[in-house]
Amino acid sequence: MHVPDVSVVVIVYNDAERLPTAVRSVLDQTLHGVEVVIVDDCSQDRSFAVAQELEAAHPGRVRAFRLPENSGGCGAPRNHGIRQATGTYVMFLDSDDVLERNACRNMLDAAERTGSDLVSGMCVRVHLDNRWGKTTEWYPWIYSRTRTLESITEDPDLLVYDTLSTNKCYRRAFLLEQGLEFPVGIHYEDLLFSAQAYVAARRITLIPNHVYYWNVVEKAATKSISNRRHEIANFVHRMEIHRRVDELLAAKGFTEIKTAKDAKFLKHDLVLHLRDLPLLGDAYRQEFARLANGYLAGIDPAAYDNVTHLQAICAYLLGKEDWDNLLPAADAMINKGRLTSPLAERDGRVYWCAAHIDDPADTEARRILDVTEQGFHTTPLSSLALGNRLTSYEDDGRGSVTLAGSVVNPLGRIAPEAELKASLEFRARRQVGVRSFSFPVESVRHTGDTIEWEGTADIGSTVRPLGIIDAVWDVRLKLTAGSDRLTTRVSVGGLDLESAARLRVRPRLTRLVSDRFEPEVTKKGNLSYVLIAEGPAAVRTQALISGAMHGRTAGVVKKTLRRALRARRNLGSGEQKVKVYHEVFSKLPIKKGTVVFESHMGKQYSDSPKAIYEEMVRQGVAVEAIWSYAGAKPTGFPKEATLVKRWSWPYLRALAQAEFWIDNQGFPLALAKRPGTTYIQTWHGSALKRMGFHEPRTKAQGRAGQDRFQAAVNRFDHFLVRSEHDVRTLAKGFRLRDEVLLRTGYPRNDALVEAHRAETQSGERVRGPLAAELGIDPAKKVLLYAPTFRANADGAVEGFEFPFDVEEFADRLGDRFTLLVRTHYLNSVSLPPSVGDRVVDVSGHHDITPLLALADGLITDYSSVMFDYAVLDRPMLFFAYDYDAYAGDIRGTYFDLKEKAPGPVVATADELFQAIAAFDEADAKYAEARQRFLTEFGEYDRGDAARQIVEKFFTRSGK
């Protein structure tokens, strides 16, 4: 008898309708040696009958089994499937999901090639109730490339994050030898089974292919087990599974994995349940705290260092059962960016709350509750999303509602003397027709840590929805405090709106469709209203409309309506704009003398494009200069230039008709450059990290991805380089022809060359007006700390975390040095009030060149700013605290920084402080190394790069 290559165990319970689709995804696999083992968990519908029909229709390929009684979970049917499977390998599939068509083939090939006990591929979540067809890859960084692990200790992230059993292929003999089975009678069985399999496997192979499509319905009437978090039994099961996994890891001595798992518990498992706490009652909270705190007591304290500040704060406050401060923290975690606590300041540090931090017996309070680095004390008030909790809700049973609430006043930043005004805004979530209606708030007053407000909204006579399209309306409070204007969502908090009346409204289309506003709490706990039908006439009309919607005429109407809505929706979409750019704007004549400038994708007026533009102005070159900007409002851009918002219609038209493009990073990849347009790419720095086609990630993109990348860089007509190092690295990485290269140096460095030349000739360093603007003490030396870009494991941009204690720097060295901190433009930083003017955040200065000219020394890690600063021949320190991880990253580096660094390379904060203390000594010691560094990496920076570009392309003598 032929043994199947793979047995796919399909489990089903009361899912007769979707079962055939799941089974079909197995039968249609490109690998033919696949059998289907259906196990019905004693369904009450036709699931087993459907399974038998599938067995009869596909003899030899489908077998159906039924458990004698319902097990209440996934463990028992999967275990039965393992026992019934005859294939060399086993996979699992739920009846509401499907396999990718090549899943079995790809996983079998990997298993046979490597001899692995377990092969895992990428799972994709398919959001079925999302109108845009949203899909999300499940922890994609784990599956960035094919790799084989000899032990789970080589990549703990796999056990910590990907705990699914369904995106994996197991050698059946391995499961039987190890006695691996799913736990029965308890939920979250995947967590334990996957952990046991990972730990027992002699070899694990990961493949980057999609293998499993996990269908998700967020608004399902019947929630899945894992989504019924409001049931305390759900949390009981989760805790038990985690304890069993911990016991497994302890038995194997996997301490590092346990710490990583603890961190994941704090920022995922616990967070899932904390999100619901503001909406649940006291009895649930008390039992939840009892269960959670018993487990939290065994969490490795080091795990708290690997989670966000709010995740750590919530876990800490839960341990204290401090509901007054925990519930606002949970609200802030649900609504990212919202500040829900009035905060407290002690000894120059800012804390989430005043509770606990003054208790000398609580050694952890200040460390965990410290939110100084979040910058709440320095961020402009208008940029803070202040928490606004509803404290009272009353309606008149007809069409009027009176709301009262409390807005957080962090650190008393809304001064008592500030004049207060407010209004309530009811805003349609779908922006059609009239977008919002506002009502003045009668009472707004200071009450210390909060701003209290109360207002009445006569919705029945004022709010006029269309009646069909704009069904959901959100509530906001618009608060004016002195010169600050703040907009906040209204959080329901612990108020019970179950008994609230439905408010009468008058839709503009007809009352016969909908005539009531019903208050609703959103998933994030905010107040909204949903338009519904309540009156008999409205209910009858909706029934008639519903019936008519299925007729032939309705089909034509719906098709026309969908087409119109799609056209309207797509008019401003990226796809439509790209189409118009190529088919309309690119047919218009090119406007001679038009130059579009862009720096860092419109985020700044800076860098070499700025230097070239200002050289044009100095020379009086007659061009139409157009600068692109990103964000709501342009700041710092030249007033005499034309400004266009990136990706706006004027931006696209300007690019299509421009004679020149000048930028330092890359105009949108989807926009082709016209033959009559000259693209001058100044680039934004010499390379330490591998770039372009030298990057493994680019090589792994496949032919289509590589072709798109090549087409983008092929747009460059000219590419500026500052050394032959750039030629060997950047130019080759981008596969640029030699005739494209302009060996001019970087225009942005002209000012640095001139500063060094003037200093050498006069023997005097002139700090200029920027020093006065920043309040620099002339008796102190100025150090600039400019680290490279930082992202988290997902590649997401986060606030920058200091790798050394700035307060310690201020205390130890602040009498001799002023430290300027300038993060990468994609990162942000916040300094504690205690450092005063000894450490200054200059990240808001878009153009780094004046900061480089001001600094007596540079501290960096791997940033390309090192190459620019070398022009000044001033001391550099390299704080490479994570050098091995950085240099050993998959991307790789072009050279060993430790070998060529023109200054001390240090790995610890103490070594950094010692090197700064010996600043003058290092200056003399590394003088020759700095010259070698400049010769190798800045040989073409001669101070005339901008002039060369302008004369070559924009003056009569040059053209």
Side-chain angles (χ1 to χ4, degrees):
M1 180 179 176
H2 175 69
V3 176
D5 293 314
V6 179
S7 294
V8 179
V9 176
V10 182
I11 64 170
V12 61
Y13 176 69
N14 287 351
D15 199 16
E17 185 177 343
R18 290 179 293 189
L19 177 61
T21 302
V23 172
R24 175 52 56 190
S25 76
V26 182
L27 297 175
D28 288 345
Q29 288 289 300
T30 54
L31 179 70
H32 297 301
V34 180
E35 74 162 351
V36 183
V37 178
I38 304 174
V39 183
D40 173 56
D41 196 13
C42 199
S43 297
Q44 298 175 348
D45 68 352
R46 293 192 68 255
S47 292
F48 185 58
V50 171
Q52 289 178 311
E53 292 165 6
L54 290 167
E55 181 180 41
H58 304 280
R61 295 200 67 194
V62 177
R63 292 183 292 135
F65 302 90
R66 188 179 196 223
L67 298 186
E69 58 183 31
N70 178 248
S71 69
C74 301
R78 285 179 181 158
N79 291 339
H80 190 76
I82 295 172
R83 290 191 290 270
Q84 297 297 334
T86 61
T88 307
Y89 295 89
V90 176
M91 294 173 61
F92 301 106
L93 172 65
D94 292 344
S95 61
D96 53 347
D97 301 328
V98 294
L99 292 182
E100 194 277 335
R101 192 163 182 265
N102 299 292
C104 292
R105 177 181 297 278
N106 288 333
M107 299 183 97
L108 176 69
D109 287 348
E112 295 290 270
R113 185 178 66 254
T114 62
S116 294
D117 291 325
L118 189 161
V119 175
S120 190
M122 195 183 300
C123 172
V124 179
R125 285 168 59 94
V126 181
H127 301 267
L128 296 179
D129 53 354
N130 181 274
R131 70 176 71 180
W132 314 119
K134 176 184 174 183
T135 62
T136 51
E137 293 180 333
W138 192 251
Y139 301 117
W141 81 82
I142 296 175
Y143 298 98
S144 60
R145 57 191 171 90
T146 299
R147 54 202 174 106
T148 297
L149 312 176
E150 300 297 328
S151 166
I152 189 60
T153 57
E154 294 181 26
D155 190 351
D157 276 359
L158 191 57
L159 182 146
V160 171
Y161 291 97
D162 188 2
T163 55
L164 299 176
S165 66
T166 48
N167 60 332
K168 297 171 177 61
C169 179
Y170 311 84
R171 192 181 299 275
R172 183 166 174 267
F174 158 69
L175 296 179
L176 298 177
E177 289 167 5
Q178 297 294 327
L180 292 180
E181 288 191 340
F182 290 86
V184 177
I186 187 168
H187 304 321
Y188 305 106
E189 53 278 293
D190 270 22
L191 274 70
L192 182 57
F193 181 83
S194 295
Q196 291 171 331
Y198 284 140
V199 168
R202 290 165 294 237
R203 185 171 293 164
I204 302 167
T205 294
L206 311 178
I207 61 175
N209 312 78
H210 291 173
V211 298
Y212 193 91
Y213 293 118
W214 177 3
N215 292 325
V216 180
V217 180
E218 297 287 350
K219 300 176 183 177
T222 302
K223 293 290 186 182
S224 67
I225 292 168
S226 59
N227 284 329
R228 298 202 293 267
R229 292 186 292 273
H230 61 284
E231 300 174 5
I232 197 66
N234 185 294
F235 191 59
V236 172
H237 286 208
R238 188 184 288 272
M239 292 295 89
E240 177 58 27
I241 287 292
H242 273 282
R243 287 190 182 90
R244 295 188 192 182
V245 175
D246 291 345
E247 291 170 1
L248 171 69
L249 297 178
K252 294 290 184 179
F254 291 164
T255 306
E256 290 186 10
I257 298 181
K258 170 66 165 60
T259 302
K261 177 187 165 297
D262 284 348
K264 192 247 188 175
F265 175 82
L266 293 175
K267 62 186 179 183
H268 175 72
D269 300 85
L270 185 62
V271 166
L272 285 175
H273 293 267
L274 286 174
R275 290 169 63 94
D276 298 325
L277 278 187
L279 308 177
L280 298 171
D282 288 341
Y284 178 96
R285 293 174 191 165
Q286 298 301 329
E287 181 63 12
F288 175 78
R290 185 186 68 79
L291 293 166
N293 289 334
Y295 185 77
L296 288 172
I299 290 283
D300 184 346
Y304 285 89
D305 297 328
N306 297 311
V307 300
T308 69
H309 71 286
L310 270 174
Q311 290 162 355
I313 287 169
C314 283
Y316 170 83
L317 293 173
L318 176 62
K320 297 290 184 180
E321 296 190 37
D322 181 353
W323 304 108
D324 289 340
N325 289 303
L326 171 58
L327 294 180
D331 185 20
M333 196 162 51
I334 298 169
N335 296 276
K336 189 174 182 181
R338 181 179 291 179
L339 175 59
T340 57
S341 171
L343 308 177
E345 184 177 342
R346 296 284 192 281
D347 306 319
R349 304 293 296 179
V350 179
Y351 299 92
W352 179 257
C353 56
H356 317 294
I357 58 176
D358 295 323
D359 181 358
D362 192 341
T363 58
E364 291 293 289
R366 291 205 173 197
R367 182 177 72 85
I368 295 176
L369 296 174
D370 192 327
V371 293
T372 309
E373 275 69 35
Q374 306 311 310
F376 297 131
H377 58 294
T378 57
T379 301
L381 199 58
S382 58
S383 298
L384 290 175
L386 299 182
N388 182 4
R389 183 176 57 85
L390 201 62
T391 56
S392 174
Y393 183 101
E394 296 179 4
D395 58 67
D396 63 0
R398 298 187 298 277
S400 180
V401 61
T402 299
L403 306 177
S406 174
V407 179
V408 167
N409 183 11
L411 300 173
R413 293 184 59 188
I414 301 177
E417 62 272 15
E419 183 182 357
L420 301 178
K421 293 181 181 179
S423 63
L424 279 170
E425 179 189 61
F426 288 71
R427 185 179 181 86
R429 192 173 295 175
R430 181 175 290 181
Q431 299 297 294
V432 181
V434 178
R435 299 185 173 197
S436 64
F437 297 87
S438 293
F439 303 88
V441 169
E442 295 88 356
S443 172
V444 194
R445 60 191 182 279
H446 291 273
T447 56
D449 287 343
T450 59
I451 304 295
E452 305 294 327
W453 59 270
E454 183 175 341
T456 298
D458 188 1
I459 293 174
S461 61
T462 307
V463 177
R464 299 295 308 277
L466 279 174
I468 297 176
I469 299 174
D470 50 352
V472 182
W473 291 67
D474 296 315
V475 182
R476 290 174 172 83
L477 180 79
K478 294 201 165 185
L479 174 66
T480 300
S483 60
D484 292 307
R485 288 186 172 87
L486 315 170
T487 299
T488 68
R489 286 296 303 272
V490 178
S491 171
V492 174
L495 284 185
D496 182 7
L497 301 184
E498 288 292 327
S499 59
R502 295 171 174 178
L503 306 174
R504 295 178 184 176
V505 290
R506 294 187 300 154
R508 280 180 286 155
L509 290 181
T510 173
R511 283 188 179 180
L512 296 179
V513 175
S514 48
D515 57 359
R516 294 289 190 277
F517 255 170
E518 182 173 45
E520 182 179 80
V521 183
T522 69
K523 279 201 307 185
K524 293 188 175 183
N526 299 315
L527 177 64
S528 67
Y529 285 87
V530 178
L531 196 58
I532 63 167
E534 184 176 78
V539 173
R540 283 196 302 272
T541 303
Q542 281 207 339
L544 289 172
I545 291 174
S546 178
M549 290 297 280
H550 299 287
R552 181 180 300 176
T553 304
V556 175
V557 173
K558 284 192 287 184
K559 186 175 181 179
T560 304
L561 180 60
R562 278 197 298 266
R563 189 183 299 120
L565 290 174
R566 190 182 303 116
R568 176 171 181 160
R569 184 169 62 242
N570 290 341
L571 186 61
S573 69
E575 181 181 353
Q576 186 70 12
K577 285 184 173 180
V578 170
K579 184 176 181 181
V580 171
Y581 170 86
H582 289 110
E583 297 182 5
V584 180
F585 292 159
S586 291
K587 301 297 190 293
L588 299 173
I590 286 178
K591 296 169 67 175
K592 294 294 183 181
T594 301
V595 187
V596 178
F597 293 90
E598 186 169 285
S599 179
H600 294 302
M601 297 184 289
K603 293 181 175 67
Q604 300 177 356
Y605 172 62
S606 66
D607 213 77
S608 292
K610 172 186 176 183
I612 294 172
Y613 168 76
E614 293 185 348
E615 179 65 21
M616 288 180 176
V617 173
R618 273 192 293 272
Q619 293 194 30
V621 177
V623 298
E624 181 185 355
I626 301 172
W627 272 91
S628 97
Y629 70 92
K633 294 181 181 180
T635 55
F637 287 85
K639 295 180 180 179
E640 65 273 12
T642 300
L643 304 184
V644 293
K645 186 172 182 178
R646 201 171 196 264
W647 273 112
S648 66
W649 293 111
Y651 172 81
L652 296 173
R653 180 164 182 165
L655 282 177
Q657 292 192 273
E659 184 181 7
F660 289 93
W661 291 0
I662 299 178
D663 88 319
N664 66 349
Q665 193 155 338
F667 288 106
L669 302 183
L671 305 181
K673 181 186 70 68
R674 299 174 68 179
T677 300
T678 299
Y679 189 167
I680 302 173
Q681 173 56 256
T682 69
W683 204 241
H684 52 274
S686 298
L688 171 60
K689 277 278 193 179
R690 294 187 179 275
M691 302 290 292
F693 288 98
H694 292 161
E695 282 192 63
R697 290 188 186 94
T698 306
K699 295 176 182 178
Q701 282 182 348
R703 177 60 63 85
Q706 291 183 19
D707 287 348
R708 284 193 297 272
F709 183 80
Q710 188 66 65
V713 297
N714 282 348
R715 298 179 303 173
F716 303 159
D717 295 297
H718 304 284
F719 186 89
L720 274 57
V721 296
R722 56 198 303 268
S723 68
E724 288 304 305
H725 168 76
D726 290 352
V727 176
R728 295 188 300 270
T729 56
L730 288 170
K732 289 192 179 299
F734 293 152
R735 296 179 178 173
L736 300 176
R737 305 182 311 278
D738 191 71
E739 57 266 27
V740 171
L741 307 181
L742 293 179
R743 292 170 167 82
T744 59
Y746 281 172
R748 71 184 185 194
N749 288 342
D750 290 348
L752 301 181
V753 174
E754 178 57 33
H756 179 251
R757 186 177 294 138
E759 184 179 328
T760 302
Q761 292 173 354
S762 68
E764 179 184 359
R765 182 171 302 168
V766 179
R767 285 185 167 176
L770 181 57
E773 178 188 332
L774 296 174
I776 302 296
D777 185 341
K780 295 182 183 180
K781 290 190 180 296
V782 178
L783 298 177
L784 176 64
Y785 177 45
T788 192
F789 169 67
R790 299 285 173 170
N792 64 15
D794 296 319
V797 178
E798 294 187 332
F800 177 75
E801 293 188 11
F802 276 101
F804 61 89
D805 189 336
V806 289
E807 291 177 298
E808 184 180 356
F809 170 89
D811 292 340
R812 288 176 58 172
L813 301 164
D815 59 334
R816 293 174 52 198
F817 299 94
T818 296
L819 181 67
L820 305 181
V821 179
R822 209 275 192 175
T823 61
H824 188 278
Y825 74 94
L826 289 174
N827 291 129
S828 59
V829 70
S830 182
L831 297 171
S834 57
V835 299
D837 58 1
R838 294 169 294 177
V839 184
V840 182
D841 179 17
V842 292
S843 301
H845 288 253
H846 286 178
D847 197 351
I848 197 173
T849 301
L851 297 170
L852 295 174
L854 171 62
D856 297 299
L858 174 71
I859 304 171
T860 187
D861 43 16
Y862 321 105
S863 172
S864 64
V865 74
M866 69 176 82
F867 302 110
D868 304 298
Y869 196 73
V871 172
L872 292 164
D873 190 26
R874 297 177 191 170
M876 284 189 265
L877 303 175
F878 297 86
F879 185 29
Y881 56 91
D882 56 351
Y883 183 79
D884 290 339
Y886 189 88
D889 179 77
I890 183 175
R891 186 169 162 187
T893 60
Y894 284 116
F895 62 88
D896 188 341
L897 178 63
K898 290 183 177 180
E899 290 182 1
K900 298 196 176 188
V905 180
V906 297
T908 67
D910 194 56
E911 290 176 351
L912 173 65
F913 294 152
Q914 291 179 31
I916 295 173
F919 182 80
D920 294 331
E921 179 183 327
D923 186 1
K925 180 179 178 181
Y926 285 90
E928 290 185 11
R930 290 201 299 273
Q931 285 303 313
R932 290 195 301 270
F933 194 79
L934 177 61
T935 300
E936 181 172 359
F937 298 109
E939 58 189 299
Y940 301 132
D941 276 331
R942 305 186 188 96
D944 62 349
R947 181 176 57 79
Q948 286 190 61
I949 298 299
V950 172
E951 291 182 353
K952 180 176 179 64
F953 297 103
F954 300 104
T955 64
R956 291 181 181 177
S957 60
K959 292 186 74 171

